[in-house]
Amino acid sequence: MIKKFDKKDEESGSGSNPFQHLEKSAVLQEARIFNETPINPRRCLHILTKIIYLLNQGEHFGTMEATEAFFAMTRLFQSNDQTLRRMCYLTIKEMANISEDVIIVTSSLTKDMTGKEDVYRGPAIRALCRITDTTMLQAIERYMKQAIVDKVPSVSSSALVSSLHMVKMSYDVVKRWVNEAQEAASSDNIMVQYHALGLLYHLRKNDRLAVSKMLNKFTKSGLKSPFAYCMLIRIASKLLEETEAGHDSPLFDFIESCLRNKHEMVVYEAASAIVHMPNCTARELAPAVSVLQLFCSSPKAALRYAAVRTLNKVAMKHPSAVTACNLDLENLITDSNRSIATLAITTLLKTGSESSVDRLMKQISSFVSEISDEFKVVVVQAISALCQKYPRKHSVMMNFLSNMLRDDGGFEYKRAIVDCIISIIEENPESKETGLAHLCEFIEDCEHTVLATKILHLLGKEGPRTPSPSKYIRFIFNRVVLESEAVRAAAVSALAKFGAQNDDLLPSVLVLMQRCMMDSDDEVRDRATFYMNVLQQKQKALNAAYIFNGLSVSVPGLEKSLHQYTLEPTEKPFDMKSVPLANTPITEQKTEFAPVATSKLPEKPGPTRQDIYQEQLAAIPEFQGLGSLFKTSEAVQLTEAETEYVVRCVKHTFARHMVFQFDCTNTLNDQLLQKVMVQMEPSEAYEVLHYVPAANLPYSQPGSCYSLVRLPEDDPTAVSCTFSCTLKYLVKDCDPNTGEPDDDGYDDEYVLEDLEVTVADHIQKVLKPNFAAAWDEVGDDFEKEETFALASVRTLDEAVGHISLFPVVYVEAVGHISLFPVVSVEAVGHISLFPVVSVEAVGHISLFPVVSVEAVGHISLFPVVSVEAVGHISLFPVVSVEAVGHISLFPVVYVEAVGHISLFPVVSVEAVGHISLFPVVSVEAVGHISLFPVVSVEAVGHISLFPVVSVEAVGHISLFPVVSVEAVGHISLFPVVSVEAVGHISLFPVVSVEAVGHISLFPVVSVEAVGHISLFPVVSVEAVGHISLFPVISVEAVGHISLLSL
Amino acid sequence: MTAQTCPRQHQRTTMEIASLEPSLYTVKAVFILDNDGNRLLSKYYDKELYPSMKEQKNFEKNVFNKTHKADNEIAFVEGMTIVYKCSIDLFFYVAGSAQENELMLMAVLNCLFESLGQILRKNVERRCLLDNMDGVFLVVDEIIDGGVILESDPQQVIQKVNYRLDGSEQAYGFDLFDYIVGNIDGQTDRSQCA
């Protein structure tokens, strides 16, 4: 038999790997025979193979030894043995980065690439390009151009692919070969076609027009290569996405036509491209889905996998489009390839009905231990989505999840499960206790610090509010005894929350705290000491400020402020109030999961819009010393969009000043504006201190000028003001083509629309994770309690009509504005629904919703709420029939919202007149309105005025019809149901008829209020007038209400 | 090479967008392992993917552990689509990004497998492969160049490599002899040990 390498190896039988005991030094020693004459091709070939094998195994070659072997190898070019020569090319490529002076072989390779032996030419080109740099590339440019258009396909392909590799390094040189590539693209050889297309795209991808032309050409001429088709589809779908072209574009037609291609590869690529297009309608998806359906029954596992993976993606957005494939998917759930089975089941979970859930879950649990973590995460995500869809199934899911939690698995997998359980707890209050119990069990033996701290935080938040909080204390304290520092510290914080909210637990918590104060870690000790002292004070305000609600400032802002503080040494302690407040609610994004996504990297919080403005303003010398930027409002247009000069204003509020930033654009191409500024005439005691003009405003280049205004110092309540604005500038005519201005110009001015400063500009939303605590923290000092004699009012309807009597507690309210933002995350939901949760706010809002002749004047106060909220509130207009007439005065119209009015279809004829006045409907609200028609005829008029129902509330509205006819009239005034309130609505029908009347005025019920609604019917008839004035109901509010009802 | 962004980070963050940057760089890695999961040949075409030998071998181990029990053709490991095939005591793998067209990867794998089948005269097993390692290196080089599919037709690959089984002149002689005397089986024996 022929023995190829080492005889000994084979005879000793130590495995059958002839390379097993290769020694680098021995091989290099052997490489000396490269220098022998004549060359023994066979032996040299074996040695080269060994060298490449060693390199491939990760053997490290020193520069010296590699260079030596490389130079010896160059001698082998003298041999004409084909395989030996080819192995030389491979060696050159492998050693290009290890050996020095590899360019020594340039001439040999150039000779081979232009020689007669076609077998050498392609590989020689590829080896040559591997060792070529930009300067040398110019020397071989001529050969490369020839090679690209060579009639031998392997030569042409090699040249094209090598050019592609070099685009990154020498774009400018390779760009010059575009004509040759173009010629190659019309080659008959399918691979040459594909490579030419790839190169052409890479050279042109930044030129959208060129890409578009290229696509046009190739889609018409038709290509032979399925690879090239796939490439074309990708280019086309990218272009579609970039240009946001509609799906009537010829590009879309092209992609769709590829669904009928004879190659499965192309068909799949096209189907996948369509599925991934944003905004695809079900009808456009249908053909793609049906080809994927066919693939589901393919004998090829890869094709089934591809199909089901893509269907899974479709199911996320369009579950109904996939239901047609349910039968095929069912067949796949027993697929021997577990990846396919998992994807099939998770897809079915998304598309199937509630009844199939149990069966599918059983199926999946039979093999969940066999699949990889990536797919387990997919399963968890599917469960998470399912729980949102079928809340009633949460107990099945919870069991399944807790079993999964006990199994082995990596961090990503465990985190997905924990997140899923947390989201179930948040959405289903009745699952809270079981969920928390599972999580408690999990942290007993949890190796992931991040998860343990997260769960401890959750326990601290939710635990104290459960019926038996004491049982969680043990789990938490176990962590203090057993875990690492980070977990111990988190456990201490959680304990403190129990102590702060449960008075009967406080003594025990204090004892535990005492023990924690002896901890070996200083962070744990510090926390324990701090909480101990806070808890001992037994003051709600302290608890709220230091235990429940953490930092409410923006973290990048804090970082900047602290940095600034360290730069300027001062005696004064650092003032937390100087830090801008965080204004982005920390909402957990419910992401859609790709079936194969492992996990998302945590997104780094970027600087907010406000942070960017702060930076820009700080760069202007006139605005230094204003302190930190409190709030930046949304831009307001001061001109029509189509005028000569377009001006919009952004208001920046500082502690004692306001800066108005005017972003101006000159739309006249024959004018150059200079010294542009906006002169402002305030209506109130505002004082314009300074103008910062924009020096030049050439055609279509936006520029900004600024005005600095001091807020009135003597009257802190003068928060609103109207400025009449005039744009002043020096005009110079200029040549439209060159932009060359004339020497002299003339002054001119342009009148802008008035600019309003409103209360909203002085108010910022902040996050208060614990609303109840924040409420307590405000304390009694800020409570405004007044009783108004409504003695003349007999009936509720009459009262509504008279609400206009309600005096506007205007001045006080304004003073407290800074306190206003005491709203927790949950509360944000409420606010937007109106219920302005803090006492001060009540002052404003109560002004508001009750619009009537007098109140109209105050509407400008209204936007006391952050921008998002405005959308909702403005929906509010709790307008009594009498008030309707006034709504037309409503200035608080938000442009974005305007579009939705037309969606109000359910509105009865009478109501229509009013609704058309209400342009401010938030997008979410729109969909729900249509649910309303259940409402009885009388009610329609009212309800249609207030369709402000949050998305989650949808399902519950159907409960409404239970309400008796009389009641409807009232309830319909405030169907402002917040997410958390959902559960409560169902309480409504229970309410007695009289009571309904009251409640219905302010059904702004916060989570905490749950228990209390039942109190409502108890309210005496006399109370009616009062309660209805104060829509702010929450746990504490109940206390107030009873006060009010006195 | 512009499209060779870091696959791990890239795919995790952009998985949702999922539109693939049009590019010829289809193949992230190719490797051949024996039935103990040892590397016989591997090529990584994305420099940012597993830059160190240790990471590469860990990845290969991981892939091997997840695939060697069942010949399932396709798997998803560490954020990458892997298509694979086994033959006697060899495992062939082609890896691409999560968004890659699985069928393109399959085309590469099939081409690799069939080309080697022809070169090794159907004896696609470890010993024979190792004995003709030079031919294997050349075949891989003809199929993929720096991650770009250079050729997907096995016939073309064979033609371009123009490789003759080691000691083939002699073997051909015997083949002819065997053929003449009707000993077809001998042919397999011989080429197996060739």
Side-chain angles (χ1 to χ4, degrees):
Chain A
M1 292 298 124
I2 308 124
K3 284 165 198 131
K4 190 162 177 185
F5 295 108
D6 209 308
K7 249 183 196 163
K8 255 190 288 174
D9 248 2
E10 194 161 316
E11 280 160 7
S12 65
S14 61
S16 54
N17 186 346
F19 299 102
Q20 192 141 41
H21 299 296
L22 278 189
E23 285 277 340
K24 180 180 69 175
S25 50
V27 174
L28 290 174
Q29 189 81 22
E30 279 186 278
R32 293 194 180 163
I33 67 150
F34 291 169
N35 292 318
E36 283 174 14
T37 330
I39 294 167
N40 179 338
R42 173 148 305 176
R43 284 194 63 194
C44 293
L45 185 56
H46 295 169
I47 293 160
L48 280 184
T49 311
K50 286 181 191 175
I51 291 176
I52 296 177
Y53 183 85
L54 283 176
L55 283 168
N56 204 260
Q57 288 294 326
E59 189 79 48
H60 176 75
F61 279 67
T63 312
M64 278 279 284
E65 51 193 13
T67 310
E68 201 175 308
F70 187 85
F71 273 73
M73 181 275 298
T74 56
R75 249 200 102 244
L76 302 180
F77 272 89
Q78 290 172 15
S79 163
N80 275 327
D81 184 280
Q82 272 195 16
T83 312
L84 181 60
R85 181 70 60 87
R86 297 289 313 276
M87 287 302 277
C88 286
Y89 299 147
L90 278 193
T91 315
I92 292 168
K93 289 202 274 189
E94 294 290 334
M95 287 198 158
N97 288 335
I98 328 173
S99 166
E100 286 178 339
D101 300 324
V102 285
I103 52 165
I104 190 117
V105 289
T106 304
S107 63
S108 307
L109 290 172
T110 316
K111 203 173 125 221
D112 281 355
M113 100 181 237
T114 53
K116 286 200 185 85
E117 282 275 18
D118 285 346
V119 187
Y120 291 159
R121 292 175 62 202
I125 291 170
R126 291 189 282 127
L128 180 60
C129 290
R130 186 76 180 75
I131 59 167
T132 299
D133 60 24
T134 305
T135 47
M136 280 167 47
L137 188 58
Q138 315 219 344
I140 58 163
E141 185 174 359
R142 188 162 56 91
Y143 302 122
M144 286 301 290
K145 281 181 164 180
Q146 281 167 7
I148 289 174
V149 296
D150 199 282
K151 63 179 191 310
V152 180
S154 71
V155 175
S156 179
S157 272
S158 295
L160 286 164
V161 172
S162 300
S163 311
L164 180 64
H165 294 326
M166 289 188 298
V167 165
K168 198 175 190 181
M169 176 184 83
S170 324
Y171 178 79
D172 291 328
V173 180
V174 179
K175 200 176 60 182
R176 298 198 290 255
W177 309 345
V178 74
N179 286 335
E180 282 76 14
Q182 190 88 50
E183 192 180 330
S186 45
S187 159
D188 283 341
N189 183 282
I190 59 167
M191 291 317 279
V192 173
Q193 227 175 40
Y194 171 55
H195 296 138
L197 177 65
L199 179 61
L200 282 173
Y201 176 70
H202 272 269
L203 291 175
R204 289 170 172 174
K205 65 180 169 189
N206 295 325
D207 180 353
R208 199 176 284 168
L209 192 69
V211 171
S212 172
K213 272 188 192 159
M214 185 173 88
L215 269 178
N216 201 10
K217 181 175 166 222
F218 288 122
T219 53
K220 282 211 182 93
S221 65
L223 296 164
K224 281 196 218 154
S225 159
F227 294 114
Y229 261 108
C230 291
M231 183 76 183
L232 271 187
I233 291 169
R234 285 181 202 177
I235 299 173
S237 67
K238 183 157 193 278
L239 195 67
L240 270 177
E241 194 182 319
E242 283 175 355
T243 54
E244 288 166 7
H247 294 162
D248 47 355
S249 140
L251 290 178
F252 186 83
D253 294 342
F254 162 71
I255 297 177
E256 203 173 32
S257 73
C258 289
L259 290 173
R260 296 179 289 277
N261 194 288
K262 64 176 189 292
H263 293 278
E264 281 170 342
M265 185 194 292
V266 178
V267 175
Y268 169 63
E269 185 74 41
S272 167
I274 292 175
V275 164
H276 287 121
M277 270 175 208
N279 320 320
C280 232
T281 64
R283 199 179 54 80
E284 286 159 341
L285 278 173
V289 169
S290 60
V291 301
L292 293 171
Q293 184 177 7
L294 279 180
F295 289 166
C296 279
S297 45
S298 160
K300 296 179 199 158
L303 194 50
R304 292 199 304 275
Y305 174 90
V308 70
R309 190 177 74 118
T310 313
L311 285 174
N312 193 309
K313 205 158 271 175
V314 183
M316 288 177 195
K317 276 192 196 144
H318 303 276
S320 55
V322 186
T323 39
C325 311
N326 276 2
L327 213 59
D328 306 79
L329 290 169
E330 289 277 354
N331 291 330
L332 292 181
I333 61 181
T334 49
D335 201 294
S336 63
N337 186 327
R338 292 310 190 198
S339 308
I340 296 176
T342 312
L343 287 169
I345 291 182
T346 50
T347 312
L348 281 170
L349 286 175
K350 291 181 191 113
T351 63
S353 62
E354 189 165 2
S355 56
S356 62
V357 168
D358 292 310
R359 186 173 55 83
L360 290 169
M361 295 304 288
K362 200 168 284 167
Q363 182 79 35
I364 207 166
S365 52
S366 68
F367 65 79
V368 74
S369 57
E370 294 172 41
I371 57 181
S372 64
D373 267 15
E374 282 93 346
F375 282 99
K376 285 181 183 166
V377 173
V378 175
V379 173
V380 175
Q381 287 157 356
I383 293 174
S384 182
L386 205 59
C387 291
Q388 285 173 14
K389 200 164 148 201
Y390 304 120
R392 278 188 291 157
K393 284 284 170 205
H394 68 81
S395 58
V396 184
M397 303 299 170
M398 194 66 97
N399 269 333
F400 188 77
L401 288 171
S402 68
N403 286 333
M404 287 176 106
L405 206 48
R406 281 186 210 116
D407 291 344
D408 292 336
F411 171 68
E412 294 296 346
Y413 173 46
K414 297 284 173 174
R415 188 174 71 173
I417 302 175
V418 169
D419 286 347
C420 183
I421 293 184
I422 293 177
S423 71
I424 295 177
I425 293 175
E426 281 167 357
E427 278 157 36
N428 305 282
E430 64 268 43
S431 69
K432 190 186 281 178
E433 285 201 61
T434 22
L436 289 180
H438 289 315
L439 293 175
C440 281
E441 190 194 319
F442 174 61
I443 54 169
E444 288 284 287
D445 181 25
C446 169
E447 58 195 310
H448 308 294
T449 307
V450 180
L451 293 181
T453 50
K454 184 169 186 170
I455 292 170
L456 284 169
H457 177 77
L458 181 79
L459 286 177
K461 205 172 101 194
E462 301 290 344
R465 288 191 264 163
T466 54
S468 49
S470 60
K471 70 178 174 195
Y472 301 107
I473 301 268
R474 180 174 64 84
F475 288 104
I476 297 174
F477 193 68
N478 279 349
R479 308 274 62 74
V480 178
V481 182
L482 299 167
E483 294 280 0
S484 65
E485 295 81 10
V487 180
R488 293 206 301 272
V492 168
S493 300
L495 274 182
K497 288 180 189 161
F498 280 83
Q501 278 179 74
N502 302 85
D503 289 340
D504 46 334
L505 287 178
L506 183 60
S508 335
V509 167
L510 287 176
V511 171
L512 296 177
M513 281 290 173
Q514 204 112 41
R515 287 185 57 182
C516 297
M517 283 162 70
M518 261 102 73
D519 197 279
S520 60
D521 182 71
D522 55 349
E523 170 71 20
V524 181
R525 279 198 311 273
D526 289 353
R527 284 197 193 193
T529 314
F530 176 73
Y531 289 134
M532 178 91 181
N533 284 301
V534 173
L535 287 173
Q536 278 169 341
Q537 306 299 315
K538 296 185 183 166
Q539 288 183 19
K540 282 197 166 174
L542 281 181
N543 286 349
Y546 296 114
I547 297 181
F548 301 127
N549 294 319
L551 280 182
S552 58
V553 295
S554 89
V555 176
L558 179 61
E559 187 187 348
K560 209 169 289 165
S561 304
L562 285 171
H563 181 64
Q564 196 62 33
Y565 183 73
T566 53
L567 288 182
E568 297 162 4
T570 159
E571 291 293 298
K572 281 193 296 181
F574 179 73
D575 184 8
M576 202 64 171
K577 289 205 176 90
S578 66
V579 182
L581 297 167
N583 52 5
T584 40
I586 304 157
T587 46
E588 288 202 18
Q589 283 195 319
K590 295 262 191 272
T591 44
E592 286 176 2
F593 300 99
V596 287
T598 40
S599 81
K600 294 195 141 194
L601 294 175
E603 276 172 38
K604 210 177 152 228
T608 58
R609 170 172 170 271
Q610 184 155 338
D611 291 333
I612 295 166
Y613 276 124
Q614 166 110 49
E615 207 118 284
Q616 286 173 1
L617 292 176
I620 299 169
E622 282 85 352
F623 302 146
Q624 276 165 4
L626 296 183
S628 75
L629 178 57
F630 176 74
K631 166 150 184 183
T632 290
S633 65
E634 292 295 319
V636 184
Q637 298 291 345
L638 295 184
T639 57
E640 303 283 322
E642 302 297 321
T643 47
E644 299 95 306
Y645 313 116
V646 178
V647 180
R648 52 175 212 152
C649 176
V650 179
K651 294 172 273 190
H652 304 287
T653 311
F654 290 86
R656 291 194 177 77
H657 301 83
M658 285 189 85
V659 170
F660 298 92
Q661 173 181 342
F662 297 96
D663 297 330
C664 315
T665 311
N666 170 13
T667 62
L668 300 177
N669 62 0
D670 56 353
Q671 282 190 359
L672 171 72
L673 305 191
Q674 290 185 325
K675 297 179 198 158
V676 183
M677 60 167 232
V678 175
Q679 185 173 329
M680 304 176 77
E681 297 291 341
S683 64
E684 308 284 329
Y686 281 52
E687 184 187 351
V688 181
L689 294 182
H690 204 88
Y691 292 111
V692 179
N696 275 307
L697 198 62
Y699 165 61
S700 89
Q701 286 176 26
S704 295
C705 57
Y706 300 87
S707 305
L708 175 62
V709 168
R710 182 162 63 211
L711 302 176
E713 272 167 10
D714 45 345
D715 180 9
T717 62
V719 287
S720 59
C721 180
T722 305
F723 292 89
S724 42
C725 303
T726 316
L727 188 67
K728 298 206 163 183
Y729 45 86
L730 178 72
V731 187
K732 285 187 177 172
D733 292 329
C734 65
D735 183 329
N737 296 319
T738 62
E740 201 59 48
D742 292 349
D743 286 340
D744 38 62
Y746 52 92
D747 285 321
D748 200 355
E749 58 180 54
Y750 186 84
V751 178
L752 303 174
E753 284 174 30
D754 287 355
L755 181 64
E756 301 268 359
V757 173
T758 64
V759 181
D761 296 323
H762 302 276
I763 291 176
Q764 206 181 68
K765 181 174 68 181
V766 296
L767 310 173
K768 290 285 171 185
N770 186 322
F771 169 70
W775 176 275
D776 277 347
E777 190 187 354
V778 175
D780 295 342
D781 290 351
F782 298 109
E783 186 168 320
K784 185 85 190 152
E785 184 184 312
E786 291 186 35
T787 307
F788 298 94
L790 299 176
S792 61
V793 181
R794 298 267 166 82
T795 67
L796 197 66
D797 285 341
E798 207 176 327
V800 171
H802 283 78
I803 286 174
S804 55
L805 294 173
F806 195 75
V808 179
V809 192
Y810 176 76
V811 179
E812 289 87 355
V814 170
H816 302 301
I817 285 175
S818 57
L819 295 171
F820 179 50
V822 192
V823 180
S824 71
V825 178
E826 295 95 349
V828 168
H830 304 302
I831 288 205
S832 53
L833 302 171
F834 165 53
V836 184
V837 197
S838 76
V839 179
E840 303 81 60
V842 168
H844 305 299
I845 288 186
S846 57
L847 283 181
F848 190 42
V850 193
V851 180
S852 74
V853 183
E854 291 82 10
V856 167
H858 304 294
I859 287 178
S860 56
L861 290 176
F862 190 44
V864 180
V865 182
S866 67
V867 179
E868 300 88 279
V870 167
H872 304 296
I873 287 184
S874 52
L875 289 178
F876 218 102
V878 183
V879 181
S880 69
V881 179
E882 295 87 348
V884 167
H886 306 295
I887 291 179
S888 55
L889 297 170
F890 241 37
V892 193
V893 175
Y894 275 74
V895 180
E896 301 87 84
V898 169
H900 306 294
I901 294 179
S902 57
L903 295 168
F904 264 80
V906 198
V907 178
S908 74
V909 179
E910 298 85 1
V912 168
H914 310 301
I915 286 177
S916 56
L917 298 169
F918 272 78
V920 192
V921 179
S922 78
V923 180
E924 294 87 12
V926 169
H928 310 299
I929 293 174
S930 56
L931 295 170
F932 266 86
V934 194
V935 177
S936 73
V937 180
E938 297 88 349
V940 168
H942 306 296
I943 288 182
S944 55
L945 292 173
F946 297 96
V948 190
V949 179
S950 73
V951 179
E952 293 81 354
V954 171
H956 307 291
I957 290 178
S958 55
L959 295 170
F960 266 82
V962 190
V963 177
S964 73
V965 178
E966 297 88 351
V968 167
H970 309 297
I971 288 181
S972 59
L973 291 174
F974 295 88
V976 185
V977 180
S978 73
V979 179
E980 293 81 356
V982 168
H984 312 300
I985 291 185
S986 56
L987 295 172
F988 266 78
V990 190
V991 176
S992 74
V993 178
E994 295 88 359
V996 167
H998 313 302
I999 290 179
S1000 59
L1001 287 176
F1002 298 107
V1004 184
V1005 181
S1006 72
V1007 180
E1008 293 83 8
V1010 172
H1012 306 292
I1013 289 188
S1014 56
L1015 295 172
F1016 265 82
V1018 189
V1019 177
S1020 71
V1021 180
E1022 293 82 61
V1024 170
H1026 308 297
I1027 289 182
S1028 58
L1029 296 173
F1030 267 91
V1032 188
I1033 300 178
S1034 73
V1035 180
E1036 294 74 10
V1038 169
H1040 302 301
I1041 287 177
S1042 59
L1043 288 175
L1044 283 171
S1045 61
L1046 289 176
Chain B
M1 300 214 182
T2 42
Q4 284 182 322
T5 46
C6 173
R8 274 167 298 170
Q9 293 213 339
H10 184 73
Q11 108 211 350
R12 284 190 189 179
T13 46
T14 60
M15 172 96 19
E16 308 305 325
I17 299 163
S19 69
L20 207 53
E21 171 71 15
S23 156
L24 296 190
Y25 293 97
T26 307
V27 182
K28 297 279 181 203
V30 171
F31 45 96
I32 304 174
L33 307 180
D34 68 12
N35 57 353
D36 295 321
N38 296 315
R39 163 193 287 201
L40 300 180
L41 176 152
S42 345
K43 299 288 282 176
Y44 286 77
Y45 299 108
D46 186 337
K47 286 196 191 74
E48 289 164 63
L49 175 79
Y50 309 119
S52 78
M53 193 56 65
K54 194 166 164 245
E55 289 170 281
Q56 291 182 3
K57 292 202 168 167
N58 276 341
F59 172 65
E60 285 161 27
K61 263 267 134 40
N62 193 5
V63 170
F64 181 75
N65 288 337
K66 290 198 168 136
T67 54
H68 75 283
K69 283 185 210 125
D71 193 5
N72 275 332
E73 195 170 297
I74 187 158
F76 187 78
V77 184
E78 298 187 19
M80 295 217 287
T81 304
I82 317 273
V83 293
Y84 64 102
K85 220 180 191 95
C86 73
S87 167
I88 311 177
D89 50 3
L90 289 175
F91 289 83
F92 299 86
Y93 297 92
V94 175
S97 83
Q99 301 95 328
E100 193 48 75
N101 186 328
E102 290 86 347
L103 303 183
M104 281 174 109
L105 300 175
M106 271 318 275
V108 174
L109 179 68
N110 287 333
C111 175
L112 174 68
F113 191 77
E114 283 172 36
S115 306
L116 291 179
Q118 292 209 29
I119 279 199
L120 305 176
R121 304 259 177 92
K122 306 263 183 261
N123 297 303
V124 186
E125 46 94 28
R126 181 167 175 274
R127 176 71 220 214
C128 198
L129 181 103
L130 284 168
D131 283 346
N132 296 284
M133 210 55 201
D134 42 358
V136 180
F137 283 130
L138 291 177
V139 163
V140 173
D141 182 62
E142 281 299 345
I143 299 175
I144 308 151
D145 186 273
V148 178
I149 304 174
L150 196 62
E151 184 52 75
S152 64
D153 177 0
Q155 290 315 321
Q156 292 292 326
V157 173
I158 297 299
Q159 205 184 334
K160 286 184 197 171
V161 170
N162 191 21
Y163 179 81
R164 271 169 297 165
L165 205 63
D166 191 57
S168 49
E169 284 129 314
Q170 210 175 352
Y172 278 132
F174 278 102
D175 285 350
L176 189 61
F177 178 73
D178 286 338
Y179 182 72
I180 293 164
V181 299
N183 179 10
I184 305 291
D185 296 340
Q187 187 181 341
T188 354
D189 288 340
R190 208 169 320 283
S191 46
Q192 212 158 31
C193 319

